[in-house]
Amino acid sequence: MNVLAELFPHVVQNWDGVLQATGETLYMVGVSLLFSVLLGIPLGVLLVLTSPGHLVPMPWINKLLGTVVNVFRSVPYIVLILWLLPVSRLLFGTSFGPTAAILSLVAGAAPFYARLVETALREVDAGVIEAARAMGASLWQIVLKVLIPEALPAMAAGVTVTGVGLVGYSAMAGVIGSGGLGAMAYNYGFNGFQNDTLLVATLLLILMVQLFQAAGDRIVRRLDKR
Amino acid sequence: MIELHGIRKTFSTGGKTVEVLKGIDLSVQKGEVFGLIGRSGAGKSTLLRIINLLERPTAGRVVVDGVELTALSERELRRARQRIGMVFQHFHLLWSRTVRENIALPLEIAGVPKREIRQRVDELVELVGLTERADAYPSQLSGGQKQRVGIARALANRPHVLLCDEATSALDPETTDQILDLLRSINRRFGLTVVLVTHEMDVIQAVCDRVAVMEGGRIVEVGPVAEVVARPQTETARRFLQQGRAGQRGAYVSAFSEESKPVAAQASGVRAPRAAAETAEAYLRLDLAGITAPVVEEAIRRYAADIRLCEGSLAEGPDGVRGALVVRVAGTPEEIQAVTDYWKAAGVNVTAVAPVAERGVRA
């Protein structure tokens, strides 16, 4: 214990703070990942279905959606946070803290996940869709019974990628007082000259990403029957 | 069963329009196996896809089972499609579903209750001989097995019409034979109307009652298979026939095979209904060496039994014919006996053999 206290004085002293920061990161990433997936799937499905040559080609809607997605994806996250400050003030009454951060995290990650969903759905063999049409399937049935189940492994892999991305974004959300490990590393570790806090916070983030990636890969392997 | 009137189809890509179907009129009878043959680009697959309106014709009417599909709303059309099965060259199975689940898909789409789905799927799995592999995923199956799943899936909603798009083109010859046998037996058992697109004359000869030869978006020749084989009217048909005979299957009795259809069938171009009187069948090998009288032809004219030439080859020699034929004789046991007795009396060496299909040779 003595050795630990000597090597990581601030961490040992502020162990509760470290735990809390870990919890905040998990909360932010978890909730925003959930909403990103819930928004990203329908958005991705629409992007595919309305594209030229697909089941319900609607060039205007497709262009509009594509542009919106691209706008959100091209704005750097740190800038996106600033632009969304008034929105979160409007919605949550505050532009500060982890809940406010979730708004911008979703705004950054949902369009990204939507693109991953789009790519996954495009990979579904056109022949399978044709077979479903020949069976008399409705558009809704094709989406739910064919497109999504067939694309599920790729969509699951996309969740992993998005989640890992969100861990990174959540560190930047520290500027609006989101808390979390990233903010801890910056505020205490860098600005407060606590090298041990910087190190431990970094290690915890790495561990988090590793575990998340491993779990994701496992799920994808189980889903993939090809 | 299927009526196509004045079907035209043009595709436009990048400002250029191509007319792939240039006015097609076609009528397929109930219960027949109808073949569409043509080279790639002849429009045969497009024509097939027009039957269930996967492709909408630019002009013309499609009538299936008395319903004009071209006049239906989207919703009505989806219901109609549930009664038209379709089998694809590359199977188009869902790899995320097991054999059982793949076969269940059209039933789920049709809104069949879960209990019924289970029961129906069990029947179908057995019908196509995949009971042991019912819980396997498509990636664990061979090509032939995948196509069996495709066929079972196409039959799930008890369709009246089965459309086969190059259903055997991705399979090896032996598997092709098995799949064709399966299609033929399904056609007979359920009286299903089958339309089959292929570029192989072998396939047409193995299973089809009638054939339409397509070239450049038109049907250039249509008729009973036997007739087209015996007297092809167009260069396209002749080329397909040569391709068929150049194959290893070789010794077809194509020159004679107009007789291989029952006489009634020849007149209408439809396979005669399997009469209730046809209670038995026998496969006989006729050794015709040294026979000068046309004993086979005579038997077909004189006897009630249905006589079909299955395989063999003959050559005309100075001392009569040389060679042997395998024929299938069907009818009541008495009728079969009568024909057999006639041949024996004429000096033909008659021996019973195993059914042609069981020996893995295409009739």
Side-chain angles (χ1 to χ4, degrees), chain B residues 35 54 191 193 208 244 275 287 334:
Chain B
L54 279 180
T193 308
C208 293
D287 189 349
E334 293 78 17

Side-chain angles (χ1 to χ4, degrees), chain B residues 87 127-130 142-149 151 164 167-169 171-187 196 200 202-203 206-207 249 356-363:
Chain B
V87 178
L127 175 76
V128 297
L130 281 175
S142 70
Q145 288 172 327
K146 281 182 197 156
Q147 197 56 294
R148 284 168 188 275
V149 180
I151 291 171
C164 302
T168 58
S169 302
L171 305 174
D172 62 66
E174 202 175 314
T175 315
T176 295
D177 284 348
Q178 289 167 5
I179 293 296
L180 292 177
D181 283 346
L182 178 64
L183 285 176
R184 197 42 159 157
S185 75
I186 287 164
N187 157 259
L196 189 149
E200 293 172 302
D202 278 357
V203 171
V207 291
R249 296 168 203 291
V356 170
E358 282 175 31
R359 284 181 287 134
V361 179
R362 267 193 227 158

